[in-house]
Amino acid sequence: MRTPNVKANEFLNRRLTVEDAAEAHVAALEKAAEIGFGLHIVSAQPPFERDETEKLIEDAPAVIGRHFPDAAELYARTGWQLPESIDRVYDPSLAGRELGFWCRTDFAAVLNALRDGSPLPFMHDPTYVSPKVKAAV
């Protein structure tokens, strides 16, 4: 089951909000005549550098801590855990360059919500069951 903790962690490397997904589609439609067909990965901008990839696999909390020094503390207060390992990081920079689109919501927004007690910047429905799970049953 997907939990808010899992979703929050995914903003580090591959998630986006529904609102950002919709805005990305609009940006693609607006640029379609100019750029034609294209394939774009759209996700929250990851905070990591390419030279951190091996360390992300070995010790993701240490790398995350370099970028977000209070992340572990904020997560501990919530009862959440940072990912132990991150084995892939999506790169949305082509969408930024070609479509002029960057997600508004990222991992920093999640931490800001935890820091000031505001609502999380993404929707979570604990009753949602993936079609993949339904098909397997």
Side-chain angles (χ1 to χ4, degrees), residues 15-28 30-31 40-45 91-105:
R15 180 168 285 279
L16 73 157
T17 63
V18 171
E19 295 82 2
D20 280 335
E23 288 183 33
H25 281 83
V26 170
E30 290 173 347
K31 290 284 191 169
H40 299 87
I41 293 172
V42 181
S43 71
Q45 182 65 29
D91 180 0
S93 61
L94 182 63
R97 286 191 309 274
E98 289 191 354
L99 305 178
F101 176 80
W102 298 96
C103 288
R104 293 178 194 235
T105 304

Side-chain angles (χ1 to χ4, degrees), residues 60-136:
V63 179
I64 295 165
R66 283 197 295 274
H67 294 274
F68 305 99
D70 64 343
E73 177 188 335
L74 292 169
Y75 263 49
R77 279 195 250 157
T78 310
W80 288 1
Q81 292 183 357
L82 291 168
E84 290 298 316
S85 177
I86 296 176
D87 64 354
R88 67 184 149 197
V89 177
Y90 293 177
D91 180 0
S93 61
L94 182 63
R97 286 191 309 274
E98 289 191 354
L99 305 178
F101 176 80
W102 298 96
C103 288
R104 293 178 194 235
T105 304
D106 59 10
F107 188 70
V110 172
L111 294 182
N112 287 338
L114 295 179
R115 198 175 288 115
D116 64 23
S118 61
L120 292 170
F122 58 87
M123 299 299 297
H124 175 68
D125 179 359
T127 64
Y128 174 77
V129 179
S130 164
K132 291 181 189 178
V133 172
K134 288 179 183 177

